[in-house]
């Protein structure tokens, strides 16, 4: 350190040292200022600033070196070689330019390290190449330690300088710190290197003519340096001022644009992409700037407008004539539309080149709505007058017609052109009666009477009246008096309305199809009869009627035929009715009847007449349709004290009659209520049976008739009630379908059966019954697919059994569901085959995998030739269709022998195995 100080104080001219330091600081500061300008610019401007910074800074650093060298006194006459001196200048400029470019090109610590190393190493190279340009009589030797230290100091200070450079510091120290650090690095490098120099004089003299004079170099270098640095600072200052002015103008413009919230103002690039977005645009269209900038403005148009190319035509118009202006529907981010007034202006640069479009959009939805409303009101006034269903006239205080519409002329059948504005009301009345009355005298008298009567009504302010004419028409007149003494009168032909009101009044209490009284009128009638019965101490019977197998009539022959049957039965019932008896239709195939009586014989006679009317045949469209009905009777006051109670109890009795094989008429008994309550309680328990773990499965084996080998098992559901014990399936399956519990229970059966079958060490199939309710469920195929996936059961091991009645409910929907199930790889069998009425049609509609012959045929196959013939026919049908047949209900060896003889494929029944739980020995061993 002392050696360096001694070198500075004793071997250098301190005035020139000071000049060198000033040049170095100014050059460093100029380079940092120009670096800031380069970092804030882009494109070609950035490269210009980088080049300027490298040239000005590099030249200044080089000047520092040579002024400092000129301040050095080696003790001999020295000079400078021009070529090497220029090389050292080029090294300084290249190093400075490279360091500044690295600072900009890279980020964070990489940029700082690379820039510092390039600058420090470059300045060191400049220093030592400049030393080579010195020519004097003697030799120079270097101390390697000082050389290394000088380069290290240059790099360290350069790293620190570029670490603080480009931060945009606002404080004076923050702005000067990079320049001070660079200056320190250059000075430290120079004087540390010079401290390690040893000059050995020689006797050889130099030719002054070939050398550059040190004095000339000092003046020249200082002048050029200060000029170059001044130019650099001036350029930076002018650029800063220009940018500040532009920024202020842009800021003011942005404040203006952003402050406008009633207009959407934004800029489009020449391709129609949004490049600027204001608050008004965000408010009008719902997009934030970061969501819309860079996207094509055509997304504000409808899809149809985009297909027509309207956005592109708008830009083309603005590009061609400089401006586009139009109104139309535009769309916001949320998809809502608004009526927009749009102006697109083309923006050109100094050379006339298109650089952007300025687009201004205003939401004129309210103005358009107001204008449309006014236009619509104006237009519709005329349309309404000419097309309204009522006739309308406007008269002034002098009874002169001001206007009337076409309907007025049509209602009163005025001759065309006979009624015109300006005519007196009396004159119009005369024309009307003259046109519609044959006798002229009569027409005059009628017109006189009508005029006097109607003017009295109008002047009295009574408002409205109904005029009935000899033609049968009824015209309703309504008058509004005006403040000026005139009046507006409307006329409406209410002939059809009066008829319709009469019809509506009739339909309110009658069935539209049969004309019988409906439930409302029936209830009123029963109430009246009950009041009379209370006075005379009589009885009132309410009879609930439900037709037998009427659904089959609709399914087989269609609803139109079913309606004809209902109409005919209603006619017969009405014909069988006597005075004091009342019959109604509630809807569908439900009828009801009531009768007040004193003796039971009268009631039985009424019931017999009802049965006679309902039982028999009805000939419809060439078909003989057998009819019958089930009747339930409840009696007031013994069975119920209200109309609703009587109806409910008659329904209970009627349902009991439907369940009976022998009785068609049942009287209400108190025990029926208890049965209904028990059934409701059982339905509630059904819903909880899964959670209570009361359900379990039994399996009945299915075997090959020919070999006796097991082919699979039918899954049968059992319910062990927590209080009632085992409940037969026939007692709860139908109830589950009625109350809807069949869906969760059926899903549980499928899942449990598949889970258990998946654990068997064989490939036997399991057959699971599907109820009509389940088949009608829209997601049944998805439910089965989910269960198979969950349990891991091979779909080919699952067989779904479906009865014909399940398909008939909604055939198209059922077939879609069955195809979806079969697509899973699951086989489908038709169960109870032969008991339906459309078996062949069902087989034709869907390719079943198996036919299950109903057990009722097997029960009689040994004794009934007809049953045996049916079995033989069904088996032959299965063979012809190549569909295997399984016979149910095989209980004797003779039945099995018959099936073997007739080549039946499979069999199932008590002879082969009773239903048992899978854990029981007989079944568990087989599985």
């Amino acid at each position: 350190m002392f050696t360096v100080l001694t070198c500075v104080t004793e071997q250098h001219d301190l005035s020139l040292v000071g000049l060198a330091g000033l040049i170095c600081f100014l050059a460093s500061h100029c380079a940092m200022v120009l670096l800031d300008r380069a970092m804030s610019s882009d494109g070609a401007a950035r490269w210009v600033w980088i080049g300027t910074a490298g040239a000005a800074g590099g030249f200044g650093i080089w000047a520092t070196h040579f002024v400092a060298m000129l301040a050095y006194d080696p003790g001999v006459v020295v000079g400078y070689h021009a070529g090497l001196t220029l090389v050292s200048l080029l090294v300084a400029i290249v190093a400075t330019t490279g360091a500044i470019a690295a600072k900009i090109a890279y980020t964070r610590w990489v940029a700082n390290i690379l820039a510092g190393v390039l600058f420090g190493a470059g300045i060191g190279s400049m220093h030592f190449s400049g030393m080579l340009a010195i020519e004097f009589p003697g030799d120079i030797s270097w101390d390697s330690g000082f050389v290394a230290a000088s380069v290290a100091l240059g790099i360290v200070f350069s790293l620190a300088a570029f670490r603080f450079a480009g931060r945009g510091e606002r404080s004076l120290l923050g702005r000067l710190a990079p320049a001070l650090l660079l200056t320190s690095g250059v000075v430290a490098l120079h004087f540390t290197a010079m401290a390690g120099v040893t000059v050995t004089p020689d006797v050889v003299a130099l030719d002054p003519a070939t050398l550059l004079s040190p004095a000339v170099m000092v003046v020249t270098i200082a002048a050029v340096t200060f000029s170059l640095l001044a130019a650099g600072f001036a350029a930076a200052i002018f650029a800063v001022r220009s940018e500040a002015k532009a920024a202020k103008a842009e800021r003011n413009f942005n404040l203006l644009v952003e402050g406008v919230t009633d207009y959407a103002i934004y800029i489009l690039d020449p391709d129609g992409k949004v490049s600027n977005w204001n608050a008004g645009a965000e408010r009008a269209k719902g997009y934030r700037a970061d969501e819309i900038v860079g996207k094509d403005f055509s997304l504000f148009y409808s899809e149809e407008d985009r297909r027509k190319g309207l956005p592109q035509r708008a830009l083309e118009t603005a590009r061609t004539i400089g401006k586009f202006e139009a109104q139309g529907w535009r769309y916001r981010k949320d998809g809502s539309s608004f009526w927009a007034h749009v102006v697109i202006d083309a923006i050109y640069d100094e050379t006339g080149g298109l650089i952007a479009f300025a687009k201004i959009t205003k939401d004129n939805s309210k103005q358009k709505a107001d204008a449309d409303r006014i236009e619509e009101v104006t237009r519709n006034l005329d349309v309404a007058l000419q097309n309204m269903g009522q006739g309308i006239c406007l008269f002034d205080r002098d009874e002169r017609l001001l206007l009337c519409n076409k309907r007025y002329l049509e209602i009163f059948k005025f001759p065309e052109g006979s009624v015109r504005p300006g005519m007196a009301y009396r004159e119009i009345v005369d024309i009307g009666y003259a046109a519609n009355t044959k006798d002229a005298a009569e027409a005059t008298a009628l017109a006189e009477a009508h005029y006097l009567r109607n003017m009295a009504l109008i002047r009295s302010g009574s408002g409205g009246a109904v005029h009935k004419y000899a033609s049968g028409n009824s015209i309703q007149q309504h008058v509004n008096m005006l403040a000026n003494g005139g009046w507006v009168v409307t006329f409406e032909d209410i002939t059809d309305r009066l008829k319709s009101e009469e019809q509506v009044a009739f339909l309110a209490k009658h069935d539209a199809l049969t004309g019988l009284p409906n439930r409302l009128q029936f209830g009123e009638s029963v109430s009246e009869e009950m009041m009379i019965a209370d006075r005379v101490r009589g009885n009132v019977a309410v009879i609930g009627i439900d037709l037998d197998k009427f659904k089959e009539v609709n399914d087989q022959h269609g609803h139109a035929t079913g309606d004809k049957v209902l109409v005919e039965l209603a006619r017969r019932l009405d014909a069988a009715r006597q005075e004091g008896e009342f019959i109604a239709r509630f809807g569908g195939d439900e009828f009801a009847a009531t009768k007040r009586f004193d003796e039971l014989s009268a009631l039985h006679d009424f019931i017999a007449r009802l049965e006679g009317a309902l039982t028999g045949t009805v000939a419809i469209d060439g078909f003989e349709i057998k009819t019958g009905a089930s009747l339930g009777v409840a009696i007031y006051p013994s069975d119920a004290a209200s109309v609703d109670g009587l109806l409910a109890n008659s329904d209970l009795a009627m349902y009991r009659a439907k369940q009976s094989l022998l009785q068609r008429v049942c009287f209400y008994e108190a025990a029926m209520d208890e049965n209904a309550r028990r059934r409701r309680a059982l339905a509630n328990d059904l819903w909880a049976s899964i959670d209570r773990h009361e359900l379990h499965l039994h399996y009945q084996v299915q075997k090959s008739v020919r070999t006796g080998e097991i082919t699979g098992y039918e899954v049968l559901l059992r319910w062990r009630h927590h209080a009632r014990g085992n409940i037969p399936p026939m007692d709860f399956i139908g109830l589950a379908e009625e109350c809807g519990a069949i869906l969760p229970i059926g899903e549980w059966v499928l899942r449990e059966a598949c889970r258990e079958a998946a654990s068997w060490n064989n490939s036997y199939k399991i057959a699971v019954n599907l109820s009509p309710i389940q088949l009608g469920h829209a997601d049944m195929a998805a439910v089965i697919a989910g269960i198979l996936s969950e349990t891991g059961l091979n779909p080919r091991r699952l067989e779904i059994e479906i009865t014909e009645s399940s398909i008939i409910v909604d055939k198209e929907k059922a077939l879609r569901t069955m195809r979806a199930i079969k697509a899973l790889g699951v086989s489908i069998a038709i169960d109870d085959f032969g008991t339906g009425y459309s078996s062949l049609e069902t087989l034709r509609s869907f390719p079943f995998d198996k036919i299950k012959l109903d057990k009722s045929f097997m029960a009689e196959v040994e004794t009934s030739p007809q049953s045996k013939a049916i079995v033989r026919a069904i088996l032959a049908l299965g063979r012809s269709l190549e569909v295997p047949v399984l016979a149910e209900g095989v209980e004797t060896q003779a039945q099995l022998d018959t099936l073997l003889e007739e080549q039946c494929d499979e069999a199932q029944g008590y002879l082969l195995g009773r239903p048992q739980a899978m854990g029981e020995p007989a079944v568990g061993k087989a599985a």
Side-chain angles (χ1 to χ4, degrees), residues 67-315:
V67 171
M69 286 301 302
L70 292 172
Y72 176 66
D73 183 11
V76 294
V77 177
V78 299
Y80 296 90
H81 190 279
L84 292 176
T85 300
L86 290 176
V87 170
S88 65
L89 171 61
L90 182 60
V91 169
I93 292 173
V94 171
T96 306
T97 303
I100 290 174
K103 174 66 177 177
I104 295 174
Y106 295 92
T107 57
R108 296 184 179 180
W109 60 271
V110 176
N112 296 330
I113 292 175
L114 191 57
V117 170
L118 284 173
F119 188 82
I123 297 307
S125 301
M126 180 273 297
H127 175 84
F128 292 110
S129 62
M131 291 295 294
L132 295 176
I134 300 175
E135 295 189 359
F136 60 92
D139 296 319
I140 296 177
S141 61
W142 300 88
D143 185 326
S144 59
F146 282 98
V147 171
S150 68
V151 175
L153 285 171
I155 291 175
V156 169
F157 278 103
S158 298
L159 287 171
F162 282 102
R163 170 70 176 79
F164 291 101
R167 287 190 168 189
E169 298 284 353
R170 296 301 177 191
S171 66
L172 179 60
L173 180 60
R175 291 197 299 271
L176 296 180
L180 290 172
L181 288 169
L182 275 185
T183 301
S184 299
V186 172
V187 171
L189 184 147
H190 178 85
F191 288 110
T192 302
M194 293 306 296
V197 172
T198 301
V199 178
T200 305
D202 199 348
V203 295
V204 179
L206 299 175
D207 182 3
T210 64
L211 303 175
L212 296 175
S213 169
V216 174
M217 289 188 66
V218 169
V219 175
T220 303
I221 292 172
V224 173
T225 300
F226 283 120
S227 299
L228 185 59
L229 293 179
F233 278 120
I237 291 170
F238 286 141
V240 169
R241 288 182 178 177
S242 177
E243 287 187 2
K245 185 177 181 181
K248 182 179 180 181
E250 183 178 358
R251 183 167 61 254
N252 291 337
F253 176 75
N254 287 337
L255 288 174
L256 174 63
V257 173
E258 292 297 330
V260 176
T261 58
D262 291 337
Y263 290 83
I265 303 174
Y266 50 98
I267 302 297
L268 306 177
D269 66 16
D271 295 326
K273 301 292 191 301
V274 177
S275 58
N276 176 274
W277 196 250
N278 80 327
E282 180 174 341
R283 178 172 174 268
K285 301 194 177 183
Y287 293 94
R288 298 192 309 274
D290 59 347
E291 294 176 323
I292 196 63
V293 170
K295 294 185 178 179
D296 196 281
F297 86 111
S298 62
L299 60 83
F300 304 137
Y301 288 74
S302 68
E303 185 176 347
E304 182 180 355
D305 287 348
R306 290 197 293 270
R307 283 199 304 269
K308 293 178 179 178
L310 295 187
Q312 292 73 22
R313 289 210 293 270
L315 288 185

Side-chain angles (χ1 to χ4, degrees), residues 519 522-523 526-527 530 540-544 586 593-594 632-655 667-670 672-673 676-677 680:
R519 183 185 292 269
F522 183 80
V526 173
S527 295
M530 289 168 61
V540 178
V542 171
I543 304 169
F586 286 178
T594 184
V633 185
I635 299 175
Y636 173 82
S638 59
D639 293 338
S642 67
V643 175
D644 290 340
L646 287 171
L647 287 170
N649 290 341
S650 67
D651 279 346
L652 287 174
M654 182 267 292
Y655 286 130
F667 283 76
Y668 170 76
E669 299 173 4
M672 293 180 182
D673 275 341
R677 282 193 291 272
R680 286 194 295 271

Side-chain angles (χ1 to χ4, degrees), residues 498-552:
L498 292 178
K499 292 179 181 178
S500 297
E501 288 174 354
E502 294 172 358
Q503 180 68 14
V504 168
F506 177 82
L507 292 177
K509 292 187 176 183
H510 291 79
D511 174 50
L513 177 65
T514 63
L516 290 176
N518 61 9
R519 183 185 292 269
L520 175 63
Q521 190 174 358
F522 183 80
E524 294 174 355
S525 176
V526 173
S527 295
E528 292 174 4
E529 294 295 339
M530 289 168 61
M531 288 188 292
I532 297 173
D534 288 338
R535 292 197 300 269
V536 301
R537 296 190 179 184
N539 300 283
V540 178
V542 171
I543 304 169
I545 304 169
D546 192 83
L547 301 183
D548 293 337
K549 297 183 179 180
F550 184 72
K551 185 177 181 301
E552 295 182 7

Side-chain angles (χ1 to χ4, degrees), residues 804 830 833 837-846 877 881:
E804 291 180 83
I830 181 168
F833 187 79
Y837 48 80
S838 59
S839 302
L840 295 179
E841 171 62 20
T842 303
L843 287 178
R844 188 189 66 81
S845 301
F846 187 82
L877 177 64
L881 295 176

Side-chain angles (χ1 to χ4, degrees), residues 442-481:
E442 182 184 1
T444 301
L446 290 173
E448 175 72 17
H450 179 94
Y451 171 76
L452 294 174
R453 182 176 65 253
N454 205 38
M455 283 307 301
L457 287 172
I458 292 172
R459 296 303 182 189
S460 69
S462 60
V466 175
H467 301 285
K468 293 190 175 182
Y469 295 92
S471 62
N473 289 348
S474 297
I475 307 299
Q476 185 177 49
Q477 170 186 295
H478 186 78
V479 180
N480 281 325
M481 297 301 298

